[in-house]
Amino acid sequence: MSDLLYSEEEDALRAAVRDLLTDHCDAPGVIARTESDTPHHLALWKALTGGMGLAGLLVPEELDGQGATHREAAVVLEELGRAVAPVPYLTSAVVATEALLACGADDLLRALAAGTTIGALAVALNVAPNAAYKAVRHEDGLLHGELTGIADAAVADVLLVPADDGGLYAVDAGAATVTPQTSLDLTRPLATVTLDGAEGLLLGDAEPAVRRALRAGAGLLASEQFGVAEWTLTETVRYLKERKQFNRPVGGFQALKHRLAQLWLEVVNARAAARNAADALATSEDVDVAVTVAQAYAAPVAVHAAEEAVQLHAGIGMTWEHPAHLYLKRAKADSIAYGTPGAHREALAALVDLQAP
């Protein structure tokens, strides 16, 4: 059994990422970005990737990556979740990177590891690791079709597109029409990708690459969800200690203490489930079970924590200026990303031979 506690290296990585986000990713800045035409924070992305080399955590050292594991990537995602950072880390450094690792696309991996190229897997964000996904038409060497719900496609330089001939193709984003969709989570915008006779470079078989990418995405998303839940719980407790009613801190009321204690238990358990999924991905042991358990558990916890934050901050929690709404929207969008909790529970039942009632 692996040790799920954080190592010294992981704690040092967390501190470095948190310092960077504290300096470059404050809540008013994120809110201002969501109101602009460019919600992504590309300067922060450069600092995370060029400055710290974090886009290459899952890429082997011989391909200019860091040669780290999913445990380190999970720590980064916890911190990005705490800051609802609008950067394409999960989509490019995890999901697209995992798809390329399955294909052995060395040159593209080098570019993604450096962070100079942003990749996006052209599979809708709501597709679960074992669910059907849409493929485009491959005809006379060109790709045709429309794909919806593609996360972070707006900033992608290269799109990894599954085609109906069973291949996964790398398409220059400039050769596709990327149209923004109305997204609930303004910090991870979705887009429609239209290919009208675009050229693509065949990377390998789509099926194993997409499955591997979505599984890693689902497993590490749990760490982001834990980050969201932890931040919202911490901020809510802090606020309730300061806010006074009837001349005493609101947090002193028994009913609220019970709600927060319950939420704390949920958040601690979410961390355990997320750490277990990251460790399973790193060691390749019982991966499917660990990922489905983490997704089935962490998604509702993040939503619950964010809902409590909005409610317990009272009037101010309902305002656009307070960041609580960013966390609630991220938690709600994450709860259907890479499969709903229900879909993961069904998958888990099949994995452990539990018959549905």
Side-chain angles (χ1 to χ4, degrees):
M1 182 67 194
S2 299
D3 185 353
L4 298 185
L5 298 174
Y6 298 101
S7 67
E8 280 182 29
E9 291 83 0
E10 287 163 357
D11 283 334
L13 174 62
R14 171 191 313 289
V17 175
R18 190 174 294 189
D19 285 349
L20 182 71
L21 292 170
T22 302
D23 292 343
H24 294 284
C25 192
D26 62 336
V30 176
I31 292 170
R33 281 180 190 287
T34 63
E35 294 174 331
S36 73
D37 295 332
T38 51
H40 289 95
H41 193 338
L42 292 180
L44 174 61
W45 174 251
K46 275 201 176 69
L48 287 164
T49 58
M52 298 178 73
L54 298 182
L57 283 182
L58 299 178
V59 179
E61 288 180 41
E62 59 267 25
L63 296 176
D64 304 335
Q66 303 295 329
T69 72
H70 299 80
R71 289 176 61 123
E72 288 79 14
V75 169
V76 174
L77 278 163
E78 285 178 23
E79 291 305 312
L80 294 177
R82 283 177 59 90
V84 284
V87 291
Y89 191 84
L90 184 66
T91 45
S92 182
V94 176
V95 177
T97 297
E98 286 275 351
L100 292 174
L101 284 166
C103 298
D106 292 1
D107 291 346
L108 256 180
L109 275 168
R110 284 192 174 91
L112 256 64
T116 50
T117 297
I118 295 171
L121 180 66
V123 170
L125 183 63
N126 66 317
V127 175
N130 57 353
Y133 55 88
K134 189 176 174 185
V136 299
R137 199 169 83 254
H138 183 260
E139 199 174 282
D140 301 328
L142 299 175
L143 300 168
H144 306 262
E146 183 177 278
L147 299 161
T148 56
I150 311 301
D152 295 332
V155 286
D157 303 297
V158 61
L159 298 162
L160 310 180
V161 182
D164 59 6
D165 65 346
L168 185 69
Y169 290 84
V171 176
D172 186 320
T177 307
V178 178
T179 314
Q181 288 178 251
T182 304
S183 311
L184 173 65
D185 178 7
L186 302 170
T187 61
R188 182 175 284 143
L190 306 177
T192 297
V193 172
T194 309
L195 302 172
D196 191 7
E199 289 185 15
L201 172 69
L202 179 63
L203 299 170
D205 291 343
E207 183 72 16
V210 170
R211 296 292 167 229
R212 174 173 171 171
L214 295 182
R215 187 172 73 168
L220 293 185
L221 177 66
S223 290
E224 179 186 292
Q225 289 164 326
F226 163 63
V228 168
E230 188 186 44
W231 185 91
T232 48
L233 173 62
T234 305
E235 279 301 297
T236 305
V237 169
R238 189 179 65 76
Y239 177 76
L240 292 179
K241 282 179 177 173
E242 293 172 1
R243 177 100 169 87
K244 288 194 167 57
Q245 239 175 3
F246 308 116
N247 250 355
R248 59 182 281 201
V250 175
F253 290 100
Q254 191 74 7
L256 296 191
K257 282 183 178 176
H258 281 298
R259 278 168 71 171
L260 292 169
Q262 174 61 38
L263 189 56
W264 181 82
L265 279 174
E266 290 179 22
V267 173
V268 170
N269 287 334
R271 175 168 57 198
R275 288 296 291 165
N276 187 47
D279 187 69
L281 284 161
T283 57
S284 301
E285 288 178 25
D286 285 334
V287 184
D288 291 330
V289 170
V291 168
T292 52
V293 167
Q295 264 314 300
Y297 191 82
V301 171
V303 173
H304 183 209
E307 286 174 345
E308 290 286 72
V310 170
Q311 195 171 47
L312 295 176
H313 274 81
I316 192 174
M318 298 289 179
T319 65
W320 190 255
E321 289 74 24
H322 193 279
H325 66 94
L326 292 177
Y327 289 86
L328 180 57
K329 290 167 186 167
R330 170 64 71 90
K332 289 294 278 186
D334 277 359
S335 72
I336 57 170
Y338 306 116
T340 61
H344 283 283
R345 281 194 293 274
E346 274 186 41
L348 179 62
L351 286 168
V352 297
D353 284 337
L354 273 179
Q355 295 304 311

